[in-house]
């Protein structure tokens, strides 16, 4: 049959491990939704899938039309910006705590049992 080669990543095997490990996928756990680059666009995309946020966005856009303007333009933007900011901060903190937990789990020392 088939053979499987296991190379430890410690000690004098480290160089060989780094050469061989580039050929295969790693088994790191990643439960986070965001990265630093995609946080703002992805978070806004997810937030505007909520009907309430779309409604407030519609009111903001409608208030920029001079014929329909009910309040000052800036005042109608405040509730939407406030809600979006609070939810973005909450999502960011949750994702950061998931990142820390993933890092902790991925760096655990494990034992490998063989027959």
């Amino acid at each position: 049959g088939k053979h499987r080669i296991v190379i430890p990543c410690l000690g004098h095997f480290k160089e060989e491990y780094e050469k061989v490990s580039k050929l295969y996928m790693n088994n790191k756990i990643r439960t986070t939704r965001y990265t630093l680059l995609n946080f703002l666009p992805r978070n806004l995309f997810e937030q505007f899938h909520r009907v309430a946020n779309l409604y407030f966005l519609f009111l903001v856009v409608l208030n920029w039309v001079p014929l329909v303007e009910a309040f000052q333009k800036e005042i109608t933007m405040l509730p939407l910006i406030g809600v979006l900011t609070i939810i973005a901060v909450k999502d960011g903190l949750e994702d950061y705590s998931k990142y820390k937990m993933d890092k902790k789990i991925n760096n655990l020392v494990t034992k490998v049992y063989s027959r």
Side-chain angles (χ1 to χ4, degrees), residues 1 8 15 38 48 50 57 62 65 70 72 88 93 95 97 112:
E15 289 176 16
N38 74 1
F48 282 117
R50 297 183 181 128
L57 179 66
L62 193 63
V65 176
Q72 291 180 349
L93 290 174
D95 211 52
S97 67
V112 177

Side-chain angles (χ1 to χ4, degrees), residues 33-34 39 43 46-47 50 53 82-98:
R33 261 191 266 176
Y34 309 109
F39 175 74
N43 188 268
E46 290 175 3
Q47 287 194 46
R50 297 183 181 128
N53 291 344
V83 167
L84 293 178
T85 303
I86 290 170
I87 294 173
V89 168
K90 177 192 69 88
D91 289 345
L93 290 174
E94 285 176 358
D95 211 52
Y96 182 68
S97 67
K98 287 180 185 179

Side-chain angles (χ1 to χ4, degrees), residues 6-20:
V6 178
I7 302 172
C9 65
L10 301 171
H12 61 278
F13 295 107
K14 190 168 184 149
E15 289 176 16
E16 187 178 356
Y17 171 78
E18 288 174 357
K19 280 190 261 181
V20 173

